[in-house]
């Protein structure tokens, strides 16, 4: 049957946090918006609990954050939180990669800890690039050989992670800098460097989560 994010979020055993980078991710996203400059609208694709997105929405009330996830359960939970907190510049809708069906473009497209779970990662990249406005930027993490080695070391005791990361473990959706260039026509740059992340942080290390961004020509 495979791992189900909808089933995961339909329960109570999940935390409202960022899965890569933890509490640091809000500051990183905020810094990235400064790096891109003149940002009015951000799309977060595969937002999950949207911890960083809620934080940045509060910091930047003039920026629209349109957040999407494949799991209706977490979308509903996020909508309830936005209503309860009175946050008016963040919205939540259901969308799934690689065909989101979203009919607009954004100054920043943000896709963290998502491509690991998409079988056709190249098609997903093309879709994310389509959503990126000219002059804007696409930021994302992606599965590579180092992550494959990590995924292959997971066991049945890792609370569903082994099943969730099976595509990575099997090498079905791995990407490289060269492959990203082939798909988007531009080489990516380090997101962690752009946001001045701590180089000693576990998630920034070579064995951590590669995060990159690509600027779209104006």
């Amino acid at each position: 049957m495979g791992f189900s994010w909808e089933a995961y979020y339909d329960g109570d055993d999940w935390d409202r946090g960022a899965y890569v980078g933890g509490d640091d991710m809000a500051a990183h996203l905020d810094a990235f918006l400064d790096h891109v400059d003149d940002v009015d609208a951000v799309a977060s694709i595969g937002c999950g609990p949207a911890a960083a997105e809620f934080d940045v929405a509060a910091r930047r009330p003039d920026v629209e954050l349109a957040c999407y996830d494949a799991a209706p359960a977490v979308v509903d939970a996020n909508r309830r939180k936005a209503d309860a907190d009175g946050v008016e510049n963040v919205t939540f809708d259901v969308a799934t990669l690689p065909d989101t069906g979203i009919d607009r473009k954004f100054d920043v497209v943000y896709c963290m800890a998502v491509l690991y779970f998409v079988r056709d990662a190249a098609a997903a990249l093309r879709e994310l690039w389509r959503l990126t406005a000219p002059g804007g930027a696409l930021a994302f993490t992606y599965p590579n050989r180092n992550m494959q080695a990590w995924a292959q070391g997971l066991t049945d005791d890792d609370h569903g992670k082994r099943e969730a990361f099976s595509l990575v473990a099997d090498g079905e959706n791995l990407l490289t800098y060269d492959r990203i260039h082939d798909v988007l026509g531009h080489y990516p740059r380090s997101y962690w460097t752009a946001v001045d992340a701590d180089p000693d942080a576990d998630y920034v290390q070579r064995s951590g989560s590669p995060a990159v961004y690509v600027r779209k020509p104006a």
Side-chain angles (χ1 to χ4, degrees), residues 15 22 30-31 42 70 80 99 102 107 121-122 149 174-175 180 182 190 194 197 212 217:
D15 296 322
D30 192 53
V42 177
R80 291 194 297 271
D99 299 308
I102 300 169
D107 303 310
L174 305 185
L175 293 170
I180 293 168
D182 290 344
S190 170
V212 296

Side-chain angles (χ1 to χ4, degrees), residues 199-211:
D200 293 326
D202 290 343
Y203 57 89
V204 179
Q205 297 296 307
R206 180 176 175 83
S207 59
S209 301

Side-chain angles (χ1 to χ4, degrees), residues 17-104:
Y19 298 134
V20 171
D23 293 341
D24 295 340
M25 292 305 280
H28 293 336
L29 176 55
D30 192 53
F32 188 67
L33 300 192
D34 283 336
H35 182 79
V36 175
D37 197 19
D38 197 24
V39 174
D40 294 319
V42 177
S44 177
I45 309 298
C47 64
E53 292 85 342
F54 272 114
D55 190 302
V56 172
R59 298 187 194 202
R60 296 176 179 258
D62 294 331
V63 173
E64 175 196 359
L65 287 98
C67 303
Y68 303 87
D69 199 273
V74 79
V75 168
D76 289 343
N78 289 339
R79 285 174 174 169
R80 291 194 297 271
K81 176 175 171 57
D83 287 343
D85 294 350
V87 182
E88 298 182 352
N89 60 321
V90 59
T91 59
F92 297 94
D93 286 292
V94 175
T96 304
L97 286 170
D99 299 308
T100 63
I102 300 169
D103 188 23
R104 59 173 297 191

Side-chain angles (χ1 to χ4, degrees), residues 2-196:
F3 183 84
S4 168
W5 283 108
E6 175 65 6
Y8 175 78
Y9 286 120
D10 197 39
D12 297 323
D13 191 25
W14 57 275
D15 296 322
R16 189 171 289 282
Y19 298 134
V20 171
D23 293 341
D24 295 340
M25 292 305 280
H28 293 336
L29 176 55
D30 192 53
F32 188 67
L33 300 192
D34 283 336
H35 182 79
V36 175
D37 197 19
D38 197 24
V39 174
D40 294 319
V42 177
S44 177
I45 309 298
C47 64
E53 292 85 342
F54 272 114
D55 190 302
V56 172
R59 298 187 194 202
R60 296 176 179 258
D62 294 331
V63 173
E64 175 196 359
L65 287 98
C67 303
Y68 303 87
D69 199 273
V74 79
V75 168
D76 289 343
N78 289 339
R79 285 174 174 169
R80 291 194 297 271
K81 176 175 171 57
D83 287 343
D85 294 350
V87 182
E88 298 182 352
N89 60 321
V90 59
T91 59
F92 297 94
D93 286 292
V94 175
T96 304
L97 286 170
D99 299 308
T100 63
I102 300 169
D103 188 23
R104 59 173 297 191
K105 297 185 185 297
F106 302 86
D107 303 310
V108 168
V109 175
Y110 181 77
C111 186
M112 295 291 167
V114 177
L115 295 182
Y116 315 145
F117 315 111
V118 180
R119 185 176 301 277
D120 193 341
L125 276 184
R126 285 190 287 270
E127 175 72 351
L128 295 170
W129 195 237
R130 181 185 70 81
L131 300 176
T132 307
L138 165 61
F140 57 98
T141 55
Y142 66 91
N144 65 357
R145 293 291 182 190
N146 290 328
M147 176 163 279
Q148 181 186 27
W150 169 82
Q152 289 174 340
L154 294 172
T155 69
D156 292 332
D157 296 329
D158 287 313
H159 307 290
K161 283 186 178 181
R162 180 178 181 181
E163 188 174 26
F165 286 91
S166 61
L167 291 172
V168 179
D170 294 340
E172 294 189 30
N173 61 353
L174 305 185
L175 293 170
T176 64
Y177 267 46
D178 286 339
R179 179 58 176 149
I180 293 168
H181 174 270
D182 290 344
V183 173
L184 302 183
H186 303 275
Y187 277 107
R189 300 178 180 180
S190 170
Y191 178 83
W192 302 133
T193 298
V195 301
D196 197 26

